[in-house]
């Protein structure tokens, strides 16, 4: 009985100390998120080939390409209007890379169109033969 009381009192004394040891500051988590966004933007690169869709924490979506990147923010330009939009790294909620169409997809579309045209020509020949 005495062992159980010592164990319970030890847990009661060490419980709050363990909670403070596991607690991390919220600012540290935000800093790591900003660093992850910086790394992702750096992987995209800069220029016309660095196409992406950025979703901000406010819910706005910005499509275009990364024009320039700084320490605190980066500039996205719209591909159609070439209008610049400056976005802070802290305001980014999501980054989606827009690679465009892959070569395999383009080849598949071409083969499908060719096969459809060939099938159509065969059906026309069969219909005229009757």
């Amino acid at each position: 009985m005495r062992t159980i009381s010592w164990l319970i009192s030890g847990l009661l004394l060490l419980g709050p100390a363990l909670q403070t040891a596991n607690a991390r500051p919220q600012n540290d988590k935000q800093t790591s998120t900003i660093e992850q966004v910086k790394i992702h933007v750096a992987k995209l690169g800069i220029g016309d080939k660095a196409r992406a869709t950025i979703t901000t924490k406010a819910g706005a979506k910005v499509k275009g390409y990364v024009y320039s990147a700084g320490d605190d923010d980066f500039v996205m330009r719209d591909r159609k209007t070439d209008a610049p939009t400056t976005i802070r790294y802290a305001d980014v909620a999501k980054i989606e890379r827009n690679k465009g169409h892959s070569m395999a997809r383009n080849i598949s579309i071409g083969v499908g169109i060719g096969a459809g045209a060939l099938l159509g020509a065969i059906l026309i020949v069969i219909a005229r033969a009757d």
Side-chain angles (χ1 to χ4, degrees), residues 7-52:
L7 182 63
I8 291 174
S9 62
L11 286 174
L12 289 174
L13 290 174
L14 292 177
L18 290 175
Q19 287 180 349
T20 56
N22 286 334
R24 280 195 331 202
Q26 184 73 331
N27 194 16
D28 185 36
K29 184 178 179 183
Q30 184 178 6
T31 304
S32 66
T33 304
I34 292 172
E35 291 300 320
Q36 288 174 350
V37 171
K38 284 183 182 182
I39 291 169
H40 200 87
V41 170
K43 284 182 182 178
L44 285 173
I46 295 174
D48 291 338
K49 303 271 184 195
R51 292 177 285 193

Side-chain angles (χ1 to χ4, degrees), residues 38-111:
K38 284 183 182 182
I39 291 169
H40 200 87
V41 170
K43 284 182 182 178
L44 285 173
I46 295 174
D48 291 338
K49 303 271 184 195
R51 292 177 285 193
T53 301
I54 309 296
T55 306
T56 63
K57 291 181 181 176
K61 285 191 176 185
V62 180
K63 288 181 87 174
Y65 64 93
V66 180
Y67 179 72
S68 66
D71 291 336
D72 298 326
D73 56 13
F74 61 100
V75 177
M76 292 285 293
R77 284 195 177 258
D78 190 277
R79 293 187 66 208
K80 296 175 185 171
T81 63
D82 211 31
T85 304
T86 303
I87 303 170
R88 292 178 10 152
Y89 292 115
D91 295 338
V92 174
K94 185 177 179 183
I95 298 176
E96 296 174 11
R97 184 178 206 146
N98 298 338
K99 292 183 181 181
H101 302 302
S102 68
M103 183 62 84
R105 180 175 179 238
N106 292 338
I107 291 172
S108 298
I109 290 172
V111 168

